[in-house]
Amino acid sequence: MTAELVRGQNHPLPQTRLEIRISAGNPIVAGATLGDERGTVHGAEWVAHPASPQLAGIEVPKQAAADHRLAVDLDAMPDHIHRVTVLLALPVGVGGPARFGVMAAPFVAVTGLDGTEIAGYTITDLDSESAVTALELYRRQGAWKVRAVGQGYAGGLAAMLHDQGLAEATDLAARINEAVARGMARSVAQPPPRSEGDGRVRASAAGGGADPAPVGADPAPAQPQTPPQQPQGAPATGGPVNYEHPARRTAAPPTPAPTAPPAAPGQPAQPVAGDASGWTMDERLYNQVWGMFEDLARTTAAYRSAVDFAESRMEQELDRVLSDPRTRVGPAADSARADARAKHADLVEQARAALDRDLAQLTAEAEVVEPALPPAYARWDSPVWQAYQVPMEIPMALRVGDLHLPERTDLRIPMLVRLPLERGLWIDAGRSGGFDEGPADSGELRRLAADAAVAIAARLLAVYPAGEIAVQVIDPAGSAAGSFAPLVGSGALAEPPAAGAQGVSSVLAALTRRVDLVQMAVRSGATDALPPDLDTAEQLLIVHDFPHGFDDRAVTQLRYLADEGPAVGVHLMMVADREDARAYGPVLDPLWRSLLRLTPVADDHLADPWVGHAWTYEPSMVPRSSRVLDQVLGEAGRAAKALKAARARPSYGN
């Protein structure tokens, strides 16, 4: 029976290999400290946190999330460790809640390897605190117990660490907050939650398996895993589907999703495009793609966790053999080593078989879903573009590239970002670790970055109704004239790309004025009082070759647009090498973090919001020698000109 703890209550732990599951209403940071008999933490190396997630016997998540799993192996704790304290803190400087009092009460559960709950604790009575000591596992007379603590700290993470005796608490808290901010900046934004049972339903070839990990959970390599199974039902991420999309104009209930034909006994269900809930096929496909993304993240996490456990167990068995002089050499030692390696190989083989089964099913689904995707979600080489027509409504999302993991590089998941864009985009024209196999010439990288920006801008123009988005370009030196030629030639740009410092200043001043006017109109409830010459369409500003042509005032305006623009329909797309702006130092760090970083060639810089895998991103580029870009931009340009002409005609009253 589960023990429901109250503050100060303790409970014996019947086993030493555990999971600590944390659930909160908003993204939080989870960590742990290791203390001596008095609970004192003697150094930063005694703290497990997102920047250093693994210590002996414990692993914590690498990023902030609303739900977490911490892996604990108390048998692996060093002898001088007598207390393991679980810490929770709110991320700093990322726009979330500043105190626990405005959130739902966090819940912490200690479970066994099979998910059986041993003890649970709801942390109540929090108000101004931004960090809390949730619970502690402590050693008493050779046995381990758990105690509910619930001690909050208004001074945040630094105050909590200082209270445990850590001398460098302030510096470590700053490093943790920095790592969390970086992790949230590189994480793909999670879609609105889906209610249990309303998503896709797929059965594994082997039948039922363990429940999926909660949203935001990290894998637990320190714990044993049964071979991963594909979940029978949609993952329960909590909360209903959010149907309040800005472009939706219907009040009808969700359209039933297509159902797959019955599967043969022992075989997985046949995949069907659109087998997720939604009001339209557009929304069902969006939810299905995100479901595939989550399934691939979780099944890969289970595989990697199982492999890590197999390696950990083999190392422990080999250590036991080597630690005893009587069994260190001779036939018995050779036999023990062979047995340990055989067990390791068997566990890895079982895990790989389960992974391959799940990957085969996801691949089959991808082969069905990809041809059914609408233009906003489709690749540029999809036949759907051959019948392209200017849409009447804004779609839910936009494809900006593909994502894959090394376990199956040919299984590509479309990377979809919600529309209207909630954050700006940064096409990184610099060289990073993922560019080793890319172009060696920096000029070629810059050209590819500009091409990637044009491909995204063209897709935005294609999927928005005529007149509902306008694109402006700043190219101070005119160095990307060739890349921007399709936009200029099709008439998609209202004005030629702005050049020179004067052009930069003029465009930024106009957009800053637009943001100010719309903000004031919205706050005062007087949106009908906007100047008649103000273009109310959404604006996409492409800034190429930053910071060339920018003075301090222009840089300040650019940061203002990045922060305030998305809320009032002004979106930023930077095409820049961060090294070119290094003279500004840390002043521009908030700007880079506010933007979703994309690359013109394959790079493994993005993370999923559930497990935190490093995903390889590949941009969605127009195939060479293809005319699809000119065709689509031409059609969108003609529709925009026709709309402009219609608006210019005089209207006559009755």
Side-chain angles (χ1 to χ4, degrees):
M1 178 180 293
T2 303
E4 295 295 337
L5 304 180
V6 297
R7 183 171 298 172
Q9 184 179 358
N10 60 38
H11 186 75
L13 293 174
Q15 56 203 82
T16 56
R17 303 181 75 88
L18 307 164
E19 273 190 352
I20 298 174
R21 303 187 180 190
I22 302 164
S23 178
N26 296 83
I28 60 173
V29 182
T33 59
L34 306 183
D36 59 15
E37 291 180 336
R38 297 182 178 181
T40 302
V41 180
H42 289 277
E45 67 277 7
W46 289 37
V47 183
H49 53 83
S52 179
Q54 288 183 311
L55 296 178
I58 190 164
E59 180 175 0
V60 303
K62 301 176 184 177
Q63 61 189 42
D67 298 270
H68 291 291
R69 283 186 180 182
L70 282 65
V72 180
D73 182 359
L74 297 174
D75 285 338
M77 291 289 171
D79 292 339
H80 61 274
I81 298 300
H82 290 261
R83 190 177 302 179
V84 180
T85 305
V86 178
L87 314 176
L88 308 180
L90 295 176
V92 175
V94 295
R99 58 190 183 92
F100 278 104
V102 298
M103 296 171 44
F107 176 74
V108 185
V110 180
T111 73
L113 299 179
D114 58 356
T116 301
E117 194 168 304
I118 300 169
Y121 173 42
T122 301
I123 309 173
T124 58
D125 299 326
L126 296 176
D127 185 14
S128 61
E129 297 88 347
S130 59
V132 60
T133 300
L135 52 77
E136 61 184 16
L137 313 179
Y138 63 98
R139 196 194 317 243
R140 182 67 53 83
Q141 296 178 348
W144 286 90
K145 295 183 178 182
V146 57
R147 177 186 292 121
V149 181
Q151 175 64 53
Y153 295 85
L157 192 57
M160 181 167 54
L161 293 173
H162 185 270
D163 193 44
Q164 296 188 36
L166 187 63
E168 60 267 40
T170 302
D171 292 341
L172 180 58
R175 293 203 302 272
I176 294 173
N177 290 327
E178 175 75 13
V180 171
R182 287 198 305 267
M184 295 186 76
R186 66 190 287 266
S187 178
V188 179
Q190 187 175 337
R194 293 167 292 165
S195 60
E196 184 172 4
D198 74 351
R200 310 149 336 118
V201 179
R202 285 199 304 272
S204 173
D211 290 338
V215 173
D218 272 18
Q223 298 182 357
Q225 295 269 342
T226 55
Q229 306 281 345
Q230 187 71 17
Q232 288 278 1
T237 56
V241 176
N242 178 10
Y243 294 116
E244 297 178 356
H245 183 258
R248 186 171 295 108
R249 297 181 173 85
T250 177
T255 307
T259 56
Q267 297 298 318
Q270 295 300 311
V272 175
D275 73 340
S277 293
W279 290 72
T280 63
M281 178 60 82
D282 181 20
E283 187 168 0
R284 293 200 299 269
L285 287 169
Y286 172 81
N287 288 335
Q288 184 171 15
V289 168
W290 268 94
M292 294 165 59
F293 185 20
E294 183 174 359
D295 283 351
L296 182 54
R298 294 199 187 285
T299 193
T300 304
Y303 166 72
R304 294 179 180 178
S305 179
V307 171
D308 286 344
F309 166 69
E311 292 177 351
S312 174
R313 193 174 79 168
M314 181 178 68
E315 290 174 359
Q316 292 177 7
E317 292 178 351
L318 293 177
D319 286 344
R320 282 196 293 269
V321 172
L322 295 174
S323 63
D324 189 346
R326 295 170 298 178
T327 61
R328 191 174 300 167
V329 294
D334 294 339
S335 177
R337 293 189 185 95
D339 288 344
R341 294 189 179 100
K343 291 177 183 177
H344 171 269
D346 184 57
L347 285 174
V348 172
E349 184 179 355
Q350 292 181 54
R352 186 71 211 193
L355 175 68
D356 289 342
R357 181 171 58 247
D358 290 341
L359 292 179
Q361 189 169 343
L362 283 168
T363 301
E365 184 173 15
E367 292 172 351
V368 171
V369 170
E370 186 68 51
L373 296 178
Y377 307 167
R379 294 194 303 251
W380 280 111
D381 59 358
S382 170
V384 73
W385 291 107
Q386 303 306 316
Y388 167 75
Q389 293 182 338
V390 177
M392 300 299 293
E393 290 191 345
I394 302 172
M396 286 193 64
L398 187 82
R399 186 175 190 158
V400 295
D402 295 333
L403 298 167
H404 69 266
L405 292 171
E407 281 77 5
R408 185 70 180 267
T409 57
D410 62 331
L411 177 54
R412 308 296 174 92
I413 305 296
M415 180 177 170
L416 305 179
V417 296
R418 287 296 293 263
L419 293 178
L421 293 172
E422 298 172 351
R423 61 191 292 200
L425 305 177
W426 166 30
I427 314 299
D428 190 353
R431 183 174 297 278
S432 68
F435 287 154
D436 292 342
E437 298 180 1
D441 179 57
S442 61
E444 178 67 6
L445 281 176
R446 294 176 185 269
R447 184 191 66 78
L448 288 173
D451 289 347
V454 169
I456 294 175
R459 190 184 287 267
L460 276 170
L461 287 166
V463 303
Y464 267 70
E468 294 204 17
I469 190 168
V471 177
Q472 300 187 53
V473 175
I474 291 178
D475 186 17
S479 56
S483 296
F484 292 128
L487 294 176
V488 176
S490 66
L493 300 181
E495 301 290 340
Q502 184 175 357
V504 172
S505 176
S506 175
V507 172
L508 292 178
L511 288 176
T512 301
R513 172 178 175 268
R514 183 192 185 281
V515 171
D516 289 340
L517 289 174
V518 175
Q519 280 185 338
M520 288 188 292
V522 170
R523 289 169 184 167
S524 62
T527 54
D528 55 345
L530 288 169
D533 63 335
L534 186 74
D535 185 2
T536 56
E538 291 189 40
Q539 305 288 316
L540 174 68
L541 174 61
I542 304 177
V543 178
H544 182 261
D545 206 17
F546 175 81
H548 183 81
F550 280 72
D551 56 19
D552 290 345
R553 176 179 174 80
V555 169
T556 301
Q557 290 176 320
L558 189 69
R559 290 182 57 187
Y560 176 73
L561 293 178
D563 293 338
E564 304 294 335
V568 290
V570 176
H571 310 290
L572 180 63
M573 185 191 302
M574 300 275 289
V575 185
D577 180 357
R578 187 171 181 174
E579 283 299 306
D580 292 342
R582 64 183 179 275
Y584 288 93
V587 172
L588 290 180
D589 286 352
L591 172 64
W592 302 118
R593 287 180 187 162
S594 70
L595 305 174
L596 174 61
R597 177 175 172 253
L598 305 175
T599 52
V601 296
D603 189 65
D604 60 352
H605 66 285
L606 290 174
D608 63 80
W610 303 285
V611 184
H613 292 315
W615 292 73
T616 298
Y617 165 81
E618 292 190 12
S620 179
M621 305 291 278
V622 179
R624 291 183 179 274
S625 73
S626 172
R627 304 293 299 172
V628 65
L629 190 65
D630 295 333
Q631 171 197 337
V632 169
L633 285 176
E635 187 69 24
R638 286 188 291 272
K641 290 177 182 177
L643 178 65
K644 185 177 181 180
R647 290 174 175 174
R649 294 193 196 102
S651 58
Y652 300 95
N654 291 330

